[in-house]
């Protein structure tokens, strides 16, 4: 128990996994469907703050209404379905600041079936099949750098990220999805 | 060389007057072997791969060898049918990667069967044929009704069934060598009933947009399965005049269409009918955030600070890490983690047989918190203060980072870290290991879990290229010096740099000839044209160099400044570095 107290980074793993899995949520599963698109989209990256500095692939996410979190969620809604896998992370608690710096690394792949997250396709032929199965593409590598409030060690989740920097580090040459 | 073919006991080298044993081998080989090529095998040894295929696919691959130039594992199977069957296994997972299996192209065999013609003249004939059938303006390669091409027939290309079946593979190979820019291919009227003979078309023309297979003999959608998601840019496909679509009234046609659409994710036009909304599809298949940009700086001040910091830091990191210690204070933290399963480029170098990147020098110190659960290890693997940090630096291999000569291999994001009035610099890229660590203690350093790599104690650890992602928190200290408060280094297998190059650029413009046709400069810039905030940071000499560089390279201001900084404001060095990296710079690096 004493050791666990000395090591403040223990709760970061579930925190990070929750963040990544929020990005992978499906709109409809056999057992569940969100009542509204909005209630679905606001699940993505709940731990972001409206003021979070967000950089994706070296480009800042600029929010017209100063709500970077909402802008991110709107954009993320337009990505094909994803699966993220966390491979590795490391973190430092920076003395005197109340924040952790996290460098995490993993892989992510996209659904290449031609559907967006809401299940919509570009097909003009009636396929008689709106849900269909995902066709997973090859894995991309990603690296994510976060500055998060120290309160996450006590289970805080929402509104805890100060900066969010997400970059693809490897692009498979056969990807159907273009970045 | 081994002959592991099953049930072929008929060959006895000691059979007296049967003649030269080598000749018998050659005959055996010619009569029984169809070449196949395997890529993505190097997660393990070639033998492992062959055994895996034999177990999984029930097909024996004989006489395997690795082509040192390409890294392709070449081998032979008994019959064309086996080769076809094996190709259907392409994509099967082996040792963490997907195997890419294609039929080999044996020009030698083709030449032999064509009699006295040497391989050289076969290639010549094919080259000539391709050139006569290629239209540069429309980028169309017309391969219709090849069996009636008078030149080819006169050269005996279709004299027997076997030469016919080898014609397309050989043709594709020559196409690949000619490196033609082809967007459309017409393969009409070739009596094709499956993709076996043209299985190498997708790898040869992965960006193909239009394909006509009119008047062939395709009768089942299944025949196309092996091309599933392999022609990811195919926009139009014509299958009119094939039994698969012979009866327009056939109610199954709708199903056939839908099934074909599934195989080609960007198919818009099938048999002249628009089957998908192109704009909607483009939106769905494009990552909705802005295109990747290799460098991000929150503002100019941060850009100057971070590029200076990184340039100087890595000069010392590669030559004398001890000199970096002045940047670290008693509170500073450094730790290193290994992501050993990060997606990476497949090593095609001949020495890459051992496949997996060896992380032996790193694993004992890796603070990958997703793997290390013991609190004691988690704490002991952070180095705090100069002494511990230097110890850990010395336990990492010596390195070379080619920041100057290959700047495209690197990517950076840099922005304010207001909590300490400092900046956060995240730096990504690739490095070469040049020598083992100065200090290497391979004994397990604490009570942490014994990792399965500890057997490597007795094995030599291979040096290689690797990639990294590194996060620095840097603060301005007294007297203009910098302080590193936190330093997180993540090590992974070599991942290349394509992920941060914008992808929307048409293939052909990826390598613009840097000085071929200098665009007429709108106005010749002079020192007085430089923005005041840029001039403020530069000496008059540096301003002159920057202007000369702008004129010479047609880079935009941001890239020109980067080039000058990376060349230490030496104009000659700027010219050299620019020539070395011009081909890899994104289009928006240049003045539009």
């Amino acid at each position: 128990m004493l050791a666990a107290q000395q090591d403040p980074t223990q709760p970061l793993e579930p925190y990070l996994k929750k963040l990544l899995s929020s990005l992978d949520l499906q709109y409809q599963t056999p057992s569940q469907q969100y009542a509204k698109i909005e209630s679905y989209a606001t699940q993505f990256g709940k731990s972001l703050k409206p003021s979070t500095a967000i950089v994706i692939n070296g480009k800042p996410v600029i929010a017209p209404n100063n709500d970077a979190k909402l802008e991110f969620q709107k954009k993320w809604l337009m990505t094909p379905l994803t699966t993220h896998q966390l491979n590795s992370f490391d973190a430092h608690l920076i003395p005197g600041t109340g924040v952790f710096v996290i460098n995490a690394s993993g892989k992510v792949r996209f659904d290449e079936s031609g559907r967006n997250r809401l299940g919509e396709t570009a097909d003009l032929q009636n396929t008689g099949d709106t849900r269909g199965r995902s066709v997973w593409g090859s894995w991309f590598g990603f690296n994510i750098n976060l500055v998060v409030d120290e309160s996450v060690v006590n289970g805080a989740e929402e509104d805890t990220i100060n900066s969010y920097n997400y970059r693809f580090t490897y692009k498979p040459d056969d990807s159907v999805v273009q970045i | 060389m081994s002959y592991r073919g099953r049930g072929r006991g008929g060959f006895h080298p000691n059979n007296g007057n049967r003649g030269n044993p080598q000749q018998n081998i050659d005959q055996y080989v010619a009569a029984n072997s169809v070449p196949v090529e395997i890529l993505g095998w190097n997660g393990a040894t070639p033998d492992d791969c062959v055994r895996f295929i034999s177990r999984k696919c029930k097909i024996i691959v004989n006489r395997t060898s690795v082509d040192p130039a390409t890294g392709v594992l070449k081998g032979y199977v008994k019959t064309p049918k086996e080769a076809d069957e094996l190709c259907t296994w392409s994509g099967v997972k082996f040792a963490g990667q997907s195997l890419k299996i294609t039929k080999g192209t044996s020009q030698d065999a083709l030449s032999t069967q064509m009699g006295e013609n040497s391989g050289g003249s076969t290639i010549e004939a094919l080259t000539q044929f391709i050139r006569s059938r290629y239209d540069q303006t429309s980028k169309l390669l017309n391969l219709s009704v090849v069996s009636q091409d008078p030149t080819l027939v006169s050269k005996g290309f279709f004299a027997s069934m076997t030469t016919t079946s080898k014609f397309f593979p050989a043709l594709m190979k020559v196409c690949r060598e000619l490196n033609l820019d082809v967007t459309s291919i017409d393969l009409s009227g070739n009596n094709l009933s499956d993709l076996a003979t043209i299985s190498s078309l997708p790898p040869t023309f992965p960006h193909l947009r239009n394909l006509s297979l009119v008047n062939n003999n395709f009768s089942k959608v299944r025949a196309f399965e092996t091309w599933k998601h392999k022609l990811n840019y195919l926009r139009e496909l014509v299958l009119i005049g094939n039994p698969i679509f012979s009866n327009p009234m056939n109610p199954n046609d709708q199903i056939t269409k839908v099934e074909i659409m599934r195989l080609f994710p960007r198919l818009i036009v099938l048999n002249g009918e628009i089957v998908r909304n192109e704009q909607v599809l483009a939106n769905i298949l494009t990552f909705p955030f802005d295109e990747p940009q290799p460098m991000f700086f929150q503002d100019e001040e941060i850009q100057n600070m971070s590029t200076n910091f990184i340039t100087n830091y890595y000069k010392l990191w590669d030559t004398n890490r001890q000199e970096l210690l002045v940047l670290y204070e008693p509170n500073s933290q450094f730790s290193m983690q290994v992501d050993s399963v990060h997606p990476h480029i497949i090593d095609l170098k001949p020495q890459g047989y051992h496949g997996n990147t060896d992380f032996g020098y790193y694993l004992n110190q890796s603070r990958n918190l997703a793997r290390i659960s013991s609190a004691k290890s988690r704490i002991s693997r952070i180095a705090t203060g100069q002494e511990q940090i230097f110890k850990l630096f010395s336990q990492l291999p010596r390195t070379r980072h080619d920041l100057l000569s290959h700047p495209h291999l690197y990517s950076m994001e840099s922005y304010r870290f207001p909590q300490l009035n400092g900046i956060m610099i995240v730096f990504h890229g690739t490095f070469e290991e040049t020598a083992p660590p100065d200090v290497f203690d391979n004994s397990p350093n604490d009570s942490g879990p014994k990792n399965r790599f500890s057997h490597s104690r007795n094995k030599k650890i291979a040096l290689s290229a690797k990639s990294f992602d590194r996060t620095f928190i840097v603060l301005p200290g007294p007297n203009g010096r910098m302080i590193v408060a936190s330093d997180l280094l993540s090590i992974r297998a070599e991942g290349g740099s394509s992920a941060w190059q914008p992808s929307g650029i048409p293939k052909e413009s990826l390598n613009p000839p840097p000085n071929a046709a200098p665009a007429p400069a709108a106005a010749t810039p002079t020192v007085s044209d430089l923005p005041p905030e840029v001039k403020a940071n530069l000496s008059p000499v540096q301003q002159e160099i920057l202007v000369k560089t702008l004129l010479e390279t047609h880079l935009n201001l941001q890239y020109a400044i980067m080039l000058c900084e990376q060349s230490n404001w030496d104009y000659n060095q700027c010219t050299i570095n620019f020539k070395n990296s011009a081909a890899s710079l994104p289009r928006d690096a240049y003045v539009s």
Side-chain angles (χ1 to χ4, degrees):
Chain A
M1 195 58 217
L2 186 67
Q5 279 165 2
Q6 282 173 350
D7 170 34
T9 53
Q10 211 80 47
L12 290 180
E13 185 167 349
Y15 173 81
L16 277 175
K17 287 194 167 160
K18 232 180 206 176
L19 168 65
L20 293 177
S21 62
S22 82
L23 302 176
D24 298 340
L25 284 172
Q26 292 187 40
Y27 183 50
Q28 43 187 345
T29 63
S31 55
Q32 193 204 348
Q33 178 170 357
Y34 291 90
K36 284 190 296 187
I37 291 176
E38 196 187 355
S39 52
Y40 169 56
T42 48
Q43 300 300 309
F44 308 139
K46 265 184 166 170
S47 40
L48 295 165
K49 301 178 184 183
S51 62
T52 304
I54 303 179
V55 181
I56 311 275
N57 287 325
K59 285 273 179 100
V61 171
I62 294 164
N65 47 4
N66 282 330
D67 189 340
K69 177 182 188 171
L70 185 65
E71 186 66 16
F72 172 83
Q73 289 170 334
K74 280 188 195 164
K75 287 247 168 119
W76 196 261
L77 186 64
M78 309 308 290
T79 60
L81 210 56
T82 45
T83 37
H84 281 84
Q85 186 182 305
L86 177 69
N87 292 342
S88 167
F89 76 99
D90 193 3
H92 291 164
L93 180 62
I94 310 296
T97 62
V99 295
F100 282 104
V101 174
I102 304 175
N103 176 322
S105 152
K107 54 184 186 176
V108 57
R109 58 184 184 176
F110 294 100
D111 174 17
E112 296 185 339
S113 68
R115 285 180 196 81
N116 65 13
R117 272 181 192 277
L118 300 172
E120 296 160 348
T121 72
D123 296 355
L124 302 175
Q125 301 294 312
N126 183 9
T127 58
D129 163 26
T130 49
R131 198 142 71 204
R133 275 196 301 174
S134 300
V135 179
W136 294 110
S138 302
W139 291 102
F140 285 68
F142 73 88
N143 178 259
I144 186 167
N145 277 272
L146 303 172
V147 175
V148 305
D149 293 336
E150 196 182 350
S151 60
V152 300
V153 300
N154 302 318
E157 195 198 336
E158 280 196 49
D159 290 357
T160 46
I161 299 179
N162 299 294
S163 72
Y164 176 98
N165 175 8
Y166 180 105
R167 164 140 350 244
F168 291 127
T169 49
Y170 172 76
K171 184 173 79 170
D173 55 15
D174 62 350
S175 177
V176 173
V177 173
Q178 282 198 330
I179 59 168
Chain B
M1 198 181 270
S2 63
Y3 298 92
R4 258 180 260 102
R6 22 163 210 204
R8 292 271 158 190
F11 167 58
H12 301 290
N14 296 329
N15 257 359
N17 56 2
R18 279 297 190 84
N20 179 351
Q22 184 56 46
Q23 202 180 342
N24 282 347
I25 293 172
D26 290 345
Q27 282 167 2
Y28 160 75
V29 163
N32 295 291
S33 289
V34 181
V36 290
E37 297 185 352
I38 302 166
L39 261 176
W41 55 271
N42 40 3
T45 66
D47 283 349
D48 287 342
C49 182
V50 168
R51 277 195 291 273
F52 168 81
I53 289 174
S54 134
R55 263 196 327 270
K56 183 94 182 173
C57 324
K58 310 280 182 253
I59 292 172
I60 307 287
V61 182
N62 282 305
R63 300 192 296 131
T64 51
S65 64
V66 175
D67 182 336
T70 58
V72 174
L73 176 60
K74 296 186 170 181
Y76 296 85
V77 295
K78 269 189 250 155
T79 59
K81 198 173 156 238
E82 270 196 2
D84 290 341
E85 200 185 323
L86 191 58
C87 287
T88 64
W89 285 93
S90 192
V92 67
K93 294 278 182 220
F94 168 67
Q97 299 178 23
S98 302
L99 291 180
K100 281 188 187 166
I101 305 173
T102 49
K103 286 212 258 184
T105 49
S106 175
Q107 286 165 356
D108 301 342
L110 184 63
S111 316
T112 318
Q113 297 198 8
M114 285 170 51
E116 71 277 27
N117 278 349
S118 71
S121 77
T122 305
I123 295 170
E124 247 167 59
L126 287 172
T127 307
Q128 210 178 356
F129 169 73
I130 291 164
R131 291 209 187 280
S132 74
R133 294 291 197 104
Y134 174 62
D135 179 54
Q136 205 165 2
T137 327
S138 59
K139 298 177 184 176
L140 167 73
L141 184 58
N142 178 357
L143 301 176
S144 61
V145 213
V146 290
S147 62
Q148 285 170 32
D149 185 271
T151 330
L152 293 180
V153 172
S154 71
K155 297 224 177 213
F157 270 93
F158 306 104
S160 72
M161 277 304 285
T162 41
T163 37
T164 306
S165 67
K166 278 170 184 150
F167 172 76
F168 279 114
L171 187 78
M172 292 300 154
K173 188 154 185 173
V174 176
C175 280
R176 207 177 313 194
E177 276 153 19
L178 290 175
N179 202 14
L180 298 177
D181 182 13
V182 172
T183 56
S184 309
I185 294 181
D186 183 357
L187 271 167
S188 56
N190 285 307
N191 202 26
L192 298 166
S193 56
D194 58 49
L195 302 175
T197 56
I198 49 172
S199 64
S200 52
L201 187 141
T204 310
F205 302 105
H207 295 94
L208 190 70
R209 286 178 51 83
N210 308 298
L211 176 63
S212 166
L213 292 168
V214 169
N215 294 335
N216 278 289
N217 211 10
F218 291 98
S219 57
K220 290 196 179 85
V221 177
R222 259 197 67 196
F224 293 93
E225 280 288 332
T226 54
W227 279 9
K228 184 174 181 177
H229 278 216
K230 285 186 182 160
L231 285 174
N232 289 343
Y233 294 87
L234 191 70
R235 186 182 176 280
E236 176 159 10
L237 175 67
V238 196
L239 280 168
I240 292 166
N242 283 274
I244 195 174
F245 276 122
S246 58
N247 181 357
M249 299 310 288
N250 182 347
N252 286 335
D253 266 12
Q254 184 64 20
I255 295 169
T256 307
K257 256 187 229 165
V258 169
E259 283 176 357
I260 286 175
M261 284 165 66
R262 287 215 176 102
L263 303 175
F264 303 105
R266 285 183 198 273
L267 193 68
I268 301 293
V269 185
L270 178 58
N271 293 341
E273 181 190 358
I274 296 176
V275 293
R276 282 190 179 113
N277 181 318
E278 192 159 21
Q279 191 52 48
V280 173
L281 185 72
N283 286 340
I284 289 176
L285 296 180
T286 307
F287 192 59
F289 294 87
D290 290 342
E291 269 202 321
Q293 170 176 278
M295 302 283 168
F296 169 72
F297 306 105
Q298 190 172 349
D299 57 45
E300 202 155 339
E301 186 192 351
I302 286 179
Q303 172 170 0
N304 291 335
M305 274 171 79
S306 45
T307 46
N308 277 334
F309 174 82
I310 290 292
T311 315
N312 294 320
Y313 190 97
Y314 273 92
K315 219 180 280 168
L316 294 172
W317 180 260
D318 286 350
T319 53
N320 187 355
R321 289 180 198 164
Q322 187 147 24
E323 284 192 39
L324 290 169
L325 292 181
V326 295
L327 300 169
Y328 295 82
E329 302 238 299
N331 262 343
S332 302
Q333 303 174 66
F334 170 68
S335 53
M336 181 271 306
Q337 58 176 315
V338 176
D339 177 357
S340 57
V341 290
H342 205 78
H344 56 90
I345 46 183
I346 295 167
D347 188 3
L348 290 181
K349 292 173 196 154
Q351 67 271 28
Y353 294 172
H354 32 75
N356 286 344
T357 310
D358 194 335
F359 293 103
Y361 286 127
Y362 302 88
L363 288 167
N364 278 342
Q365 307 298 338
S366 167
R367 190 172 187 261
N368 171 357
L369 297 178
R371 291 267 175 94
I372 295 175
S373 50
S374 135
K376 199 178 157 200
S377 301
R378 284 171 163 237
I379 291 165
S380 71
R381 290 184 190 191
I382 296 195
T384 309
Q386 292 189 338
E387 191 186 329
Q388 288 182 16
I389 289 175
F390 183 61
K391 186 177 168 214
L392 191 42
F393 281 1
S394 316
Q395 289 172 317
L396 300 174
R398 286 175 172 257
T399 54
R400 189 180 71 239
H401 294 73
D402 289 326
L403 266 56
L404 294 180
S405 54
H406 296 92
H408 65 282
L409 287 177
Y410 299 88
S411 152
M412 186 177 354
E413 302 93 41
S414 182
Y415 39 92
R416 292 186 192 280
F417 183 75
Q419 291 82 354
L420 288 175
N421 196 21
I423 56 173
M424 182 153 169
I425 304 174
V426 182
F427 193 49
H428 316 267
T430 297
F431 63 92
E432 284 288 339
E433 294 168 342
T434 55
D438 293 349
V439 179
F440 182 50
D441 173 15
N442 203 17
S443 57
N445 65 340
D446 53 37
S447 59
K450 268 201 152 180
N451 68 52
R452 64 196 166 91
F453 299 96
S454 43
H455 69 272
S456 62
R457 172 191 292 249
N458 300 319
K459 257 172 55 184
K460 199 168 179 291
I461 297 173
L463 298 174
S464 67
K466 293 191 171 60
S467 287
F468 69 93
D469 309 283
R470 191 165 183 174
T471 312
F472 295 96
I473 305 285
V474 180
L475 329 171
N479 306 323
R481 102 176 226 260
M482 306 281 249
I483 297 167
V484 177
S486 160
D487 180 354
L488 290 155
L489 171 61
S490 172
I491 301 286
R492 52 187 168 86
E494 186 180 6
S497 62
S498 63
W500 46 78
Q501 311 299 345
S503 60
I505 304 171
K507 197 84 177 137
E508 60 268 29
S509 61
L510 274 176
N511 297 310
N515 296 319
T524 308
T526 64
V527 168
S528 57
D529 295 329
L530 293 174
E533 66 272 17
V534 170
K535 274 161 78 173
N537 290 317
L538 301 178
S539 71
V541 178
Q542 288 177 328
Q543 293 176 20
E544 291 287 347
I545 292 172
L546 179 57
V547 168
K548 271 165 81 178
T549 306
L550 284 166
L551 279 172
E552 167 76 21
T553 61
H554 298 282
L555 287 172
N556 65 29
L557 190 59
Q558 183 198 347
Y559 274 84
I561 293 173
M562 270 162 50
L563 175 65
C564 291
E565 281 172 345
Q566 286 167 358
S567 311
N568 290 321
W569 296 97
D570 174 336
Y571 178 69
N572 289 332
Q573 193 61 45
C574 281
T575 317
I576 295 166
N577 288 343
F578 177 70
K579 280 190 179 140
N580 286 336
S581 55
S584 55
L585 288 171
R587 182 192 267 174
D588 64 11
Y590 295 91
V591 177
S592 51

